[in-house]
Amino acid sequence: MKKTKSVKSSDAIDILHRRYVRDDAKKLAELEAVRADNAVARKIYDLRMKAGLSQRDLAKRVGTSASAICRLEDADYEGHSLAMLNRIAEVLDRRVEIRFIMKRHGSGHLAIA
Amino acid sequence: MKKTKSVKSSDAIDILHRRYVRDDAKKLAELEAVRADNAVARKIYDLRMKAGLSQRDLAKRVGTSASAICRLEDADYEGHSLAMLNRIAEVLDRRVEIRFIMKRHGSGHLAIA
DNA sequence: GACTTTGTTCTCAAATATGAGAACATTTAA
DNA sequence: TTAAATGTTCTCATATTTGAGAACAAAGTC
């Protein structure tokens, strides 16, 4: 979450959407990945905020550096590992759940469970 | 999922549970990580089976080798990355959702949303 | 039996994430 | 203004994951 740019971080997705979502399947895959990474970044940020911690605070608890936490909260970061997500969840008294959610085939946008 | 050992793969968790869950917080963290990895491995296996694919089939679709898929389905594997989960989800027409679920504080076992 | 398919394990090089310190910008507090 | 706290970006060495091929075991097919 960049400090200055007014936390409207769905911008990246919207731009990609307008640029690519005209039947290009390969790009659609990338978009999905970006959307996922983006969501994770925001969730980490939200969790940290809800806990009232600075990046340095969380870093200390997790056992890493503030810059590493900052990197994880960057919406463009694509390197998330389950190991790190678990470490963060642990110190914030949470557990990580992964779900593979079926995408709609036919027409629409929306996904189904 | 090992071929011979009759797919009862909650064994590992049970063993760890009996061994550690006597107030040892550090081990509890590890257990949570193992549980998560285990769950991911099984989900990949289930998804692949539901799609009627061999490990080699899935590997080809994802763009990797069968041994890599086998590794991902090993309950002991701890190296899952979001990137790989997204790639697998994509070729099986799914998307990955990550949730940080609050753990119960007080007494019990069960987790809450 | 021989053949094929499938899953598994081992190895290694290549790619990628992590840990960490430094420097900087911005905000808040004194 | 000065100082402290915070978030960000850069860089690098280290650790980890990935890609891939080989070899093997087990099960099914012919």
Side-chain angles (χ1 to χ4, degrees), chain B residues 1-3 48-49 54-56 67 70-71:
Chain B
M1 293 299 156
K2 297 202 173 60
K3 204 195 285 180
R48 178 172 65 78
M49 280 311 181
S54 69
Q55 290 181 339
R56 280 169 178 78
S67 57
C70 182
R71 187 165 46 195

Side-chain angles (χ1 to χ4, degrees), chain B residues 2-109:
Chain B
K2 297 202 173 60
K3 204 195 285 180
T4 46
K5 279 207 143 186
S6 95
V7 195
K8 223 188 130 207
S9 85
S10 56
D11 286 354
I13 290 176
D14 292 343
I15 291 170
L16 278 174
H17 192 271
R18 279 191 299 275
R19 189 180 301 169
Y20 291 135
V21 168
R22 223 165 274 277
D23 297 302
D24 190 337
K26 287 184 185 177
K27 302 288 181 175
L28 248 175
E30 289 177 26
L31 195 159
E32 204 54 66
V34 170
R35 190 199 305 277
D37 296 329
N38 196 322
V40 172
R42 184 191 235 95
K43 273 172 185 167
I44 294 174
Y45 172 85
D46 289 344
L47 242 54
R48 178 172 65 78
M49 280 311 181
K50 211 173 297 184
L53 300 172
S54 69
Q55 290 181 339
R56 280 169 178 78
D57 293 334
L58 180 56
K60 189 162 290 185
R61 290 203 197 185
V62 170
T64 183
S65 59
S67 57
I69 299 295
C70 182
R71 187 165 46 195
L72 294 175
E73 293 183 359
D74 181 354
D76 294 335
Y77 182 67
E78 302 191 351
H80 301 280
S81 71
L82 264 210
M84 180 58 87
L85 297 187
N86 278 321
R87 288 166 61 190
I88 291 176
E90 188 59 37
V91 302
L92 297 179
D93 202 46
R94 290 188 166 70
R95 67 183 174 80
V96 176
E97 182 181 279
I98 306 280
R99 302 170 85 183
F100 289 90
I101 298 181
M102 198 181 302
K103 291 201 254 181
R104 274 205 49 109
H105 236 130
S107 41
H109 256 193

Side-chain angles (χ1 to χ4, degrees), chain A residues 58-65 87 91:
Chain A
L58 180 57
K60 189 161 290 183
R61 290 205 197 184
V62 171
T64 183
S65 58
R87 287 166 62 190
V91 302

